[in-house]
Amino acid sequence: MVMILLGIESSCDETAAAVVENGTTLHSSVVASSLALHARHGGVVPEIAARSHIEVILPVIQQALDNAHYTWEQIDAIAVTMGPGLEGSLLIGVMTARTLAIIHNKSLIGVNHVEAHVYANFISKSLFPGVTVSTKPPTFPLLAVIVSGGHTELVLFHSHGTHQVLGQTLDDAVGEAFDKVAKMLGLPYPGGPSVSEAAKHGNPRAFSLPKPQVSPYDFSFSGLKTAVLRLAQAQVGEEYDFPSIKLAERLSEAQKRNIAASFEHTAAEIIVSKAKKAFDAYHPKSVVLAGGVAANNELRRQLISTFDLPIAFTDPVLCTDNAAMVASLGYFQIADQQPLSDPFSLVVAPHLSL
Ligand code: KG4
Ligand code: ZN
C-alpha cells in the first residue's frame, strides 16, 4: 500500500516541510533557515527562531506540496518533530501540524528529531531534483553514528523502533565544538562548514591535539575545544588568560587553516575510533552517519578508510535539519503499528531523549 507523508520540522532554526512516499521516496524537501538572522549573534537566538518559524511555516508547507505536485487530498498522514529542541520553535511546528491534521482530517504522528536524523539514510530514491541519495537503504542491525549540533551518540538499532544507546557525549556535542572553534578562528557561523572549508587548505598534522579519556562509547569534546584555545593562544604568544575573541585578529591565515585542519582531523578520529570499537563489539550489518556533522568530508573519508563494509552517505542537505527525515521516521513508526498522536493533545517534548 502506498502511503504519502508530509513531514514538518521546526526544532531549531530551520523551518522545513517534505513529502515522502513509504518512508523511502523523496518527492520534495523545502528548508527555510533563519540562520542569517542569527549570524550576527554567533548562535541561535530562540526568540528570533520561533518568530521566524511563525512567518514561514505555512508557505514552506505549501511549497513542499507544490514541488511534489500533491494536494492535501493525496496526503495520508502528517509527521512532526515533537522534540528534542527549542521549546518555542517546537511549539510552532507541533501546533501547525495539529491544526492541519484537524482541518484536513489526517493522521498525525510525533517523532524524535535525533532518531529522525538516522532515518534520512532510509530515503533511497529521490524524485526531487538536486537531492542525491544512496540507492541502498541500511539493513538491521545498524550502528548509527549521530553527530549533530546538539547530539553525539552511538546507537544500535536492532529493528525499526528498537534501539539501544551505546554511548553519548558527556559535555559538548561535536557540532557545537566545530561552532566554537570557528568562533575562536573568526570564521563565520555556522562553524562546521566554515572550519571544514579552512581545513581544506591546512595541514591536519600541523598540531597534535588530545583525545578524551572517557568510557569506550562515550564522547567528550569540551577538552578538545579548550586544547584548541590553548594552542591558538600559544601560537600568538599569549598566556591562558588572553581572551578568545581577540585571537582571530592575531592569527595568520596559515595558522587558522592548520588549527582548523588539526581540529577537524582529531574530532573525526575520535568519532571514527569509537564507532569502530562499537562495530567490532556488536557486528552490525550496516553503519550510518547521521546529523549535521555527517556532511563533513573528512569524517566521511576516515569512516570509509576504517570500515571494511561499504558505507553509504546521503546528500548533505538531508544530513542537516530537514523534514524528509521526519516524514521517513513517521512512516516507519506507523508501518510498525506504533500509536498515532492525538491532534487535539500532542505536546512538545524539548528534552526528549532516545
Ligand atoms: O543536525 P543539525 O543540522 O542540527 C542539530 O540537530 O543540531 O546539525 C548542525 C550542526 C552545526 O553544529 C554545524 O556546524 C554542523 O552541524 N555542520 C557541520 C557541517 N555542516 C554542518 N560540521 C562539520 N562539517 C560540516 N560540513
Ligand atoms: Zn538536527
Side-chain angles (χ1 to χ4, degrees):
M1 195 186 94
V2 175
M3 194 169 194
I4 307 291
L5 262 84
L6 171 78
I8 298 177
E9 157 64 37
S10 71
S11 66
C12 191
D13 58 340
E14 266 97 20
T15 320
V19 175
V20 176
E21 177 182 341
N22 287 356
T24 52
T25 302
L26 180 69
H27 286 270
S28 68
S29 175
V30 177
V31 180
S33 178
S34 58
L35 197 122
L37 302 175
H38 306 284
R40 70 192 172 97
H41 303 282
V44 176
V45 182
E47 288 77 8
I48 296 178
R51 205 172 283 265
S52 168
H53 286 307
I54 295 176
E55 284 169 12
V56 303
I57 197 159
L58 290 175
V60 162
I61 291 168
Q62 192 56 52
Q63 189 71 56
L65 290 170
D66 291 348
N67 288 351
H69 307 293
Y70 275 93
T71 60
W72 272 108
E73 288 71 50
Q74 294 163 295
I75 299 294
D76 297 300
I78 300 173
V80 64
T81 297
M82 60 186 291
L86 300 170
E87 184 162 10
S89 289
L90 289 165
L91 266 170
I92 312 302
V94 167
M95 292 312 292
T96 304
R98 284 174 51 174
T99 309
L100 291 171
I102 294 166
I103 294 173
H104 297 288
N105 195 25
K106 305 292 174 189
S107 300
L108 177 68
I109 189 135
V111 310
N112 180 313
H113 177 86
V114 180
E115 188 176 1
H117 270 299
V118 176
Y119 277 74
N121 293 280
F122 280 93
I123 296 171
S124 53
K125 186 172 173 189
S126 174
L127 301 176
F128 191 52
V131 179
T132 314
V133 298
S134 158
T135 49
K136 265 188 91 182
T139 46
F140 295 110
L142 79 85
L143 176 66
V145 183
I146 306 174
V147 283
S148 74
H151 298 266
T152 309
E153 297 187 33
L154 286 175
V155 184
L156 189 66
F157 283 74
H158 299 284
S159 63
H160 293 297
T162 323
H163 59 256
Q164 174 185 0
V165 178
L166 303 179
Q168 57 195 309
T169 185
L170 306 177
D171 41 56
D172 293 356
V174 61
E176 211 176 331
F178 267 93
D179 294 336
K180 287 175 179 166
V181 167
K183 235 178 180 176
M184 282 180 225
L185 301 180
L187 302 172
Y189 175 84
S194 50
V195 167
S196 191
E197 185 55 35
K200 262 198 226 161
H201 312 284
N203 174 8
R205 311 219 176 258
F207 305 109
S208 155
L209 291 163
K211 300 208 175 119
Q213 302 297 314
V214 290
S215 47
Y217 310 132
D218 282 336
F219 298 90
S220 164
F221 286 100
S222 76
L224 178 59
K225 174 195 69 188
T226 308
V228 171
L229 172 63
R230 299 288 175 251
L231 168 64
Q233 288 165 327
Q235 285 294 300
V236 298
E238 293 286 354
E239 296 293 326
Y240 285 4
D241 54 358
F242 186 76
S244 63
I245 48 161
K246 291 194 171 165
L247 281 167
E249 63 200 42
R250 299 270 301 271
L251 288 164
S252 69
E253 286 310 304
Q255 284 171 322
K256 286 183 192 175
R257 291 171 186 159
N258 286 341
I259 293 173
S262 302
F263 161 75
E264 181 184 58
H265 183 78
T266 308
E269 271 185 351
I270 293 168
I271 294 161
V272 172
S273 67
K274 284 172 180 277
K276 183 70 166 63
K277 260 188 204 133
F279 183 84
D280 291 342
Y282 293 93
H283 311 293
K285 285 220 175 70
S286 51
V287 175
V288 309
L289 195 56
V293 186
N296 187 273
N297 283 327
E298 172 62 14
L299 180 56
R300 290 179 174 210
R301 191 192 63 73
Q302 288 192 25
L303 269 183
I304 291 169
S305 67
T306 304
F307 285 85
D308 287 338
L309 81 175
I311 301 179
F313 300 107
T314 194
D315 197 303
V317 299
L318 296 183
C319 293
T320 46
D321 288 350
N322 66 86
M325 63 186 200
V326 173
S328 176
L329 173 56
Y331 167 80
F332 285 107
Q333 284 185 192
I334 294 173
D336 195 36
Q337 318 268 312
Q338 291 184 36
L340 291 170
S341 306
D342 179 353
F344 289 94
S345 65
L346 177 66
V347 289
V348 298
H351 303 291
L352 191 64
S353 59
L354 269 179

